Amino acid sequence: MFHDQSMFQDYELPRLTALAPNLIGASFFLMKLLPARFVLDQAERYGHLKPGGRICETTSGTFGLALAMLSVARGYKLTLGSDNAIDLILQQRLRDVGTQLEIVEAAPGKGGIQRARLDRLHKIMADCPGTFCPRQYENPDNPSAYAAVAEQISERVGEIDCIIGTVGSGGSMSGLSRILRMVNPDLNVIGIDTPASFVFGQPDGARALRGLGNSLMPANVDHCQFDRVHWVTAPEAYQATRELHRNHALFQGGTSGAAYLVARWWAAQNPKSNAVVIFPDEGNRYTSTIYNDTYLQSLEGWSDRLPQSPIQVDDPRAEMPVWSCFDWNRQSINDVLLEKEYAHE
């Protein structure tokens, strides 16, 4: 079978669309294609991944899909450790291209389902010596891959005042902010998470919004890059996703909706400043959920009206039933949480 190493590279960079006079949307077909391809390139270059070899990774989302597409294009075998939160459409796509899916159940204790997935992954790799693991949450090649996007933004948009995006593995926002701040050290960086995510200090718990948040702390999240953090709930993100489609004909997923909600508000509050907002993936996987009115109206907390602004909180560990924000001020997570501990004494 013929394998094309350059296949899918035309899908890696986002389309840039004006959403307001001072706001540009960077909408990806599948954002994780870029870091997945870069990670595999580096692994091949340094001999960590041999021709016809096996790749193993833990994921329940689009990084797994990116690896599956690239494995077909390059002739690799792929095993993914995942959980029941992975939607059936994605499961079918992955299995259709030969991906071996290992579905695990939640385990008690710290780390929850993500710890269970990692434990299964380690066992698979121990049983298959020579397997390559991309380690998206900690591999520095993940954030480094976004140099190409930073270059595109600089060339097409010029110097910007703010970049806004969701935080999962930490790769996109940490990588983009580091590079863009070489041009503009005053760049405002806004990260978006969801309640019950451990990434910015929330107590870990069940999360309805997929593609955002984590039960473990990804090493690739550079907390010191962020000026402000917003937490968006699933109903708010889904409503904003539909508004993004209605207002701009951009057919994106729920994490894009969360980013749009925050970016639209920021742009209105700062009319003399220019911003870019990152939209990670398209909406094809969400036709029966986010783009289904019956499903949306069945959601707990669903409302046809979005809040006009976030609730400002003074502690990132606070309960957040609605869209909330916190001034992070480019601090480490330890410094932020320690400061709050002292404040409560």
Side-chain angles (χ1 to χ4, degrees), residues 34-115:
L34 176 63
R37 191 267 303 164
F38 189 73
V39 165
L40 296 190
D41 283 351
Q42 295 296 93
E44 292 167 355
R45 178 181 179 186
Y46 292 106
H48 304 308
L49 180 57
K50 307 295 184 183
R54 179 169 294 277
I55 301 167
C56 277
E57 180 62 296
T58 171
T59 176
S60 61
T62 53
F63 192 74
L65 178 58
L67 288 175
M69 294 167 66
L70 290 164
S71 293
V72 170
R74 299 189 179 197
Y76 294 118
K77 297 177 283 290
L78 177 64
T79 299
L80 296 177
S82 193
D83 58 74
N84 288 322
I86 187 170
D87 63 82
L88 295 177
I89 295 174
L90 181 54
Q91 286 191 44
Q92 182 60 45
R93 286 190 67 180
L94 291 170
R95 289 195 169 104
D96 232 25
V97 294
T99 301
Q100 177 185 342
L101 271 179
E102 296 284 333
I103 305 294
V104 303
E105 302 295 333
K110 184 178 179 180
I113 193 66
Q114 286 172 314
R115 172 52 58 191

Side-chain angles (χ1 to χ4, degrees), residues 209-278:
L209 181 53
R210 303 302 302 173
L212 261 183
N214 217 302
S215 297
L216 300 171
M217 185 62 72
N220 275 330
V221 177
D222 184 355
H223 293 89
C224 294
Q225 295 295 330
F226 294 92
D227 295 283
R228 178 175 280 203
V229 177
H230 289 244
W231 291 263
V232 177
T233 69
E236 293 164 339
Y238 297 165
Q239 175 72 329
T241 304
R242 295 294 295 271
E243 289 202 10
L244 176 62
H245 190 221
R246 283 192 292 266
N247 295 343
H248 303 285
L250 293 178
F251 187 58
Q252 304 295 134
T255 53
S256 298
Y260 176 60
L261 176 65
V262 175
R264 183 177 62 178
W265 171 80
W266 190 93
Q269 297 296 308
N270 300 273
K272 296 183 179 180
S273 299
N274 295 317
V276 169
V277 56
I278 306 300

Side-chain angles (χ1 to χ4, degrees), residues 73-183:
R74 299 189 179 197
Y76 294 118
K77 297 177 283 290
L78 177 64
T79 299
L80 296 177
S82 193
D83 58 74
N84 288 322
I86 187 170
D87 63 82
L88 295 177
I89 295 174
L90 181 54
Q91 286 191 44
Q92 182 60 45
R93 286 190 67 180
L94 291 170
R95 289 195 169 104
D96 232 25
V97 294
T99 301
Q100 177 185 342
L101 271 179
E102 296 284 333
I103 305 294
V104 303
E105 302 295 333
K110 184 178 179 180
I113 193 66
Q114 286 172 314
R115 172 52 58 191
R117 282 171 18 193
L118 284 169
D119 290 344
R120 175 68 66 87
L121 186 70
H122 293 154
K123 184 180 185 305
I124 294 169
M125 293 184 68
D127 293 340
C128 301
T131 296
F132 171 70
C133 181
R135 299 178 297 112
Q136 67 158 324
Y137 296 114
E138 59 192 81
N139 189 335
D141 290 334
N142 178 354
S144 295
Y146 290 92
V149 181
E151 181 179 359
Q152 179 197 29
I153 291 171
S154 295
E155 289 181 352
R156 294 271 306 277
V157 182
E159 186 174 312
I160 60 173
D161 303 297
C162 182
I163 188 162
I164 302 158
T166 53
V167 182
S169 71
S172 59
M173 287 300 291
S174 296
L176 283 168
S177 58
R178 286 187 199 127
I179 298 164
L180 290 171
R181 278 204 173 120
M182 294 178 184
V183 178

